[in-house]
């Protein structure tokens, strides 16, 4: 039986907080239990927005998918035209079935180092 619950999330930047429109914001609830395998996404919210951070979101998930013996975390990626702009570089562990209050996830701006060529949007 499906039993939905919501996690209130505030996305904040560790530095610059301007988002170019239309940036794609991806917020995910991940099962991070397996150390040598990719995380499994249990819930995801994607939306396009611009402006400045913080960004307030509500992520809905099915509580019946949560196993109290597993490890979970929130992940945020912000992209524009397929180019990664911001990502949370620190883990944000949570217990989804017991979470209360707003979760604040800090994202860091991705910079291309000086002297390097950005090949992420290259079209050869």
């Amino acid at each position: 039986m499906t039993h939905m619950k919501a996690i209130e999330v505030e996305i904040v930047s560790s530095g610059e907080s301007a988002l170019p429109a239309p940036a794609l914001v991806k917020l995910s609830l991940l099962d991070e239990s397996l150390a040598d395998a990719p995380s499994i996404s249990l819930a995801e919210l994607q939306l396009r927005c611009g402006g400045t951070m913080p960004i307030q979101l509500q992520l809905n998930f099915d509580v019946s998918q949560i196993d109290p013996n597993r490890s979970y975390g929130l992940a945020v990626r912000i992209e524009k035209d397929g180019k990664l702009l911001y990502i949370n570089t620190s883990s944000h562990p949570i217990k989804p079935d017991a979470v209360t209050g707003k979760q604040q996830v800090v994202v860091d701006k991705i910079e291309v180092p000086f002297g390097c060529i950005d090949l992420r949007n290259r079209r050869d």
Side-chain angles (χ1 to χ4, degrees), residues 9-26:
V9 179
E10 179 179 58
I11 301 169
V12 298
S13 174
S14 62
E16 183 182 330
S17 63
L19 290 178
L24 177 63
V25 179
K26 297 179 183 179

Side-chain angles (χ1 to χ4, degrees), residues 77-103:
R77 293 178 60 92
I78 302 175
E79 304 173 354
K80 180 162 184 352
D81 299 328
K83 179 180 174 183
L84 182 62
L85 301 176
Y86 294 88
I87 193 167
N88 63 303
T89 56
S90 298
S91 177
H92 189 90
I94 64 165
K95 296 207 175 284
D97 53 338
V99 69
T100 59
K102 188 179 292 182
Q103 300 297 301

Side-chain angles (χ1 to χ4, degrees), residues 86-120:
Y86 294 88
I87 193 167
N88 63 303
T89 56
S90 298
S91 177
H92 189 90
I94 64 165
K95 296 207 175 284
D97 53 338
V99 69
T100 59
K102 188 179 292 182
Q103 300 297 301
Q104 188 177 75
V105 180
V106 178
V107 294
D108 297 312
K109 187 171 184 177
I110 303 301
E111 299 286 347
V112 175
F114 179 76
C116 294
I117 299 171
D118 186 355
L119 300 176
R120 293 176 285 186

Side-chain angles (χ1 to χ4, degrees), residues 24-36:
L24 177 63
V25 179
K26 297 179 183 179
L27 170 62
S28 303
L29 172 61
L30 303 175
D31 180 342
E32 303 173 329
S33 301
L34 302 174
D36 294 336

